[in-house]
Amino acid sequence: MTLDIATRVYDHGFRIDPIVRTLLDTDFYKFLMVQLIRKVAPTTRATFALQNRTRSVRLADIVDERELRDQLDHARTIRFQKNELIWLAGNTFYGVRQIFSADFLDWLARFRLPEYELARTDDGQYELTFEGDWADVSMWEIPALAIVNELRARAAMKGMNRFELDVLYARAKAKVWAKIERLRTLEREIGASVPVAEFGTRRRHGFLWQQWCVDALKEGLGASFSGTSNVKMAMDAALEAIGTNAHELPMVYAALARDDAELRQAPFRVLEDWARMYHGNLLVILPDAFGSTAFFRDAPDWAADWKGVRPDSKEPIAACDEIIAWWEARGRDPKEKLIVLSDGMDIDTIEKAARHLVDRCRFSIGWGTHLTNDFAGCAPAGSHPDLEAISIVCKVIAADGRPAVKLSDNPEKATGPADEIARYLRVFGAEGFERQTVVV
């Protein structure tokens, strides 16, 4: 029996529908990264900050500050439950049993989200920051984004009656199912499976809606649905938990570099440390923190032995061609490798990429915001801008008091102080960069 989301949304109150219900409601890569962080940098301090890249949307004018504080404070009261820790300890992830050490699981058992700082800015935004031990504050990234995004959606729906909400969700469900049908048609046309994983926690419309999307993919795609990045939903639905690593690792390693030579090597030190802890299918490179072209230009030969690559800010087809050319230049067979596409993917770009990559290499799709927050045109009274997804992130901005930088393949996604960005550009160059509008 499917969940009646409209009724739940219409009836919800904070006491029965907190946004963060469990600390397991996060992305799987967060656990993998934090386990590594606790091993290689246990004393490093870090600062994370919420960043709304869609500056035209004045979040502080939409999301009530008291509601935001209530939800953040509630998240700080949650602890990992015994059954959750047992599942993490005993389950198989990426073909590996007991991937999490007893020491890490003991740390999770004691863990609570640390304090936060919240203020309003003059331009209608929130300044939400988390400062403390790197492992601790890193755990805020996903719940903070989920809270802000869902509060924005709730604010947009406050004036809707029960029938308007019913229409809203009916239209949104129809959009998702139409995309699933297109994926099934695509597989028949190309004669190959198109593996899809759900990656939509960070900028989801809401917890209940993400849950419905996961159930729809499981039902509609069958074996082509490879799993979800959301650990809670993976546990509840007996799905694979999907995810490896994110930009915060090279950003912090680079911030702590003592000179330009160490800065240039920072992305590869991350890979060395990662490979000491994880193996096999977890060896997936995220190359674009300081520019993909620079990464492939300078990468040691052993990096080409890794299982795959996840491009995250370059136009998908161009990114795939660059990766395949790199493998071929290093004497590796692309058909034995994996490309994971997850940057703002929707049905159109999924179709284009699948047709381009079939028979060239293995590939999979991480489907995020355009799956779990695609409500454009679904409101019964016409367009409702506050129901449409925005580009909001929670990034590390400092490590041990030193600024953290991300260049990206798209200069619109660059973060960090201007003088530090200039220094990184001097060290890594800007080859292969292309300015693109950031949608999500």
Side-chain angles (χ1 to χ4, degrees):
M1 182 176 179
T2 59
L3 177 68
D4 184 354
I5 301 176
T7 297
R8 282 289 301 274
V9 170
Y10 185 72
D11 292 341
H12 86 72
F14 175 72
R15 287 176 297 174
I16 63 170
D17 265 343
I19 291 171
V20 177
R21 295 156 167 76
T22 164
L23 292 178
L24 214 61
D25 181 17
T26 192
D27 281 342
F28 183 64
Y29 72 8
K30 191 56 65 174
F31 291 123
L32 296 174
M33 288 193 298
V34 170
Q35 179 169 243
L36 176 71
I37 290 164
R38 293 191 69 252
K39 182 176 179 65
V40 302
T43 63
T44 296
R45 304 277 291 179
T47 304
F48 280 68
L50 189 79
Q51 300 171 13
N52 178 14
R53 296 188 293 212
T54 311
R55 303 298 293 181
S56 60
V57 174
R58 295 170 61 92
L59 279 174
D61 294 343
I62 299 168
V63 174
D64 179 78
E65 183 176 344
R66 182 68 266 161
E67 290 185 7
L68 177 54
R69 289 186 182 275
D70 285 346
Q71 293 285 354
L72 294 168
D73 290 342
H74 173 76
R76 295 196 65 233
T77 69
I78 303 173
R79 302 292 186 274
F80 284 99
Q81 300 299 305
K82 186 175 181 179
N83 69 308
E84 296 171 341
L85 296 173
I86 290 172
W87 184 79
L88 286 172
N91 200 42
T92 298
F93 301 101
Y94 283 83
V96 180
R97 286 189 64 83
Q98 297 180 334
I99 199 169
F100 298 114
S101 69
D103 173 72
F104 179 63
L105 293 168
D106 287 344
W107 179 81
L108 288 179
R110 301 187 304 271
F111 178 76
R112 63 175 291 183
L113 289 167
E115 295 181 353
Y116 63 89
E117 295 290 334
L118 178 66
R120 298 169 67 101
T121 65
D122 292 338
D123 60 348
Q125 303 299 332
Y126 279 118
E127 188 176 89
L128 178 58
T129 57
F130 313 95
E131 183 174 0
D133 289 342
W134 183 12
D136 290 349
V137 294
S138 179
M139 294 287 284
W140 256 123
E141 178 194 359
I142 310 302
L145 288 169
I147 286 170
V148 172
N149 276 287
E150 184 161 348
L151 283 178
R152 178 172 173 258
R154 289 186 182 188
M157 296 186 293
K158 275 183 179 178
M160 294 186 185
N161 62 40
R162 173 67 179 79
F163 289 94
E164 288 173 325
L165 287 170
D166 204 30
V167 171
L168 173 75
Y169 283 107
R171 290 175 175 173
K173 289 176 180 180
K175 287 185 74 173
V176 170
W177 197 254
K179 294 176 183 181
I180 289 172
E181 290 177 331
R182 285 178 62 178
L183 284 172
R184 295 193 300 209
T185 299
L186 172 65
E187 290 187 331
R188 290 194 297 270
E189 290 178 352
I190 67 174
S193 173
V194 179
V196 171
E198 185 274 319
F199 273 21
T201 303
R202 295 184 305 153
R203 288 189 287 268
R204 67 191 182 197
H205 167 82
F207 177 87
L208 297 175
W209 177 246
Q210 183 184 12
Q211 193 174 52
W212 187 91
C213 290
V214 167
D215 289 343
L217 290 177
K218 185 177 181 181
E219 175 70 23
L221 296 182
S224 293
F225 182 41
S226 56
T228 172
S229 66
N230 187 290
V231 189
K232 167 65 173 172
M233 296 182 189
M235 183 181 77
D236 289 349
L239 294 166
E240 292 288 337
I242 305 294
T244 52
N245 52 73
H247 295 110
E248 69 178 87
L249 294 179
M251 289 174 69
V252 171
Y253 276 52
L256 299 178
R258 293 169 294 184
D259 53 37
D260 288 354
E262 284 194 2
L263 173 59
R264 189 174 292 107
Q265 291 302 309
F268 311 117
R269 287 189 52 238
V270 170
L271 301 189
E272 290 171 342
D273 286 345
W274 188 266
R276 291 188 184 100
M277 182 169 285
Y278 304 117
H279 311 282
N281 292 334
L282 285 169
L283 299 183
V284 176
I285 295 168
L286 180 65
D288 72 311
F290 314 119
S292 297
T293 300
F295 180 95
F296 295 127
R297 179 194 66 213
D298 299 333
D301 188 66
W302 53 259
D305 291 327
W306 276 41
K307 184 70 174 182
V309 178
R310 179 169 72 92
D312 196 53
S313 55
K314 186 170 284 191
E315 190 279 324
I317 299 301
C320 292
D321 287 345
E322 182 175 39
I323 294 164
I324 289 171
W326 176 65
W327 282 327
E328 291 176 337
R330 298 297 180 104
R332 274 62 167 190
D333 183 359
K335 291 184 179 181
E336 297 179 357
K337 300 294 185 179
L338 172 70
I339 292 178
V340 181
L341 291 169
S342 62
D343 181 29
M345 300 300 288
D346 199 0
I347 186 61
D348 292 336
T349 50
I350 292 172
E351 287 181 339
K352 183 179 179 182
R355 295 181 190 282
H356 187 74
L357 292 175
V358 67
D359 296 329
R360 298 184 68 197
C361 69
R362 295 178 57 211
F363 65 92
S364 66
I365 307 297
W367 203 359
T369 309
H370 289 305
L371 171 69
T372 61
N373 203 351
D374 185 6
F375 281 73
C378 293
S383 64
H384 199 314
D386 289 338
L387 280 172
E388 297 179 12
I390 59 175
S391 182
I392 182 171
V393 294
C394 186
K395 291 288 186 184
V396 61
I397 61 171
D400 283 347
R402 305 177 69 175
V405 170
K406 178 189 172 191
L407 293 181
S408 173
D409 290 320
N410 178 5
E412 292 292 332
K413 287 188 172 183
T415 63
D419 59 338
E420 281 296 291
I421 289 177
R423 174 182 167 235
Y424 278 57
L425 286 170
R426 175 173 53 78
V427 170
F428 293 102
E431 186 181 357
F433 287 9
E434 181 181 353
R435 195 172 297 276
Q436 303 175 65
T437 301
V438 179
V439 179
V440 294

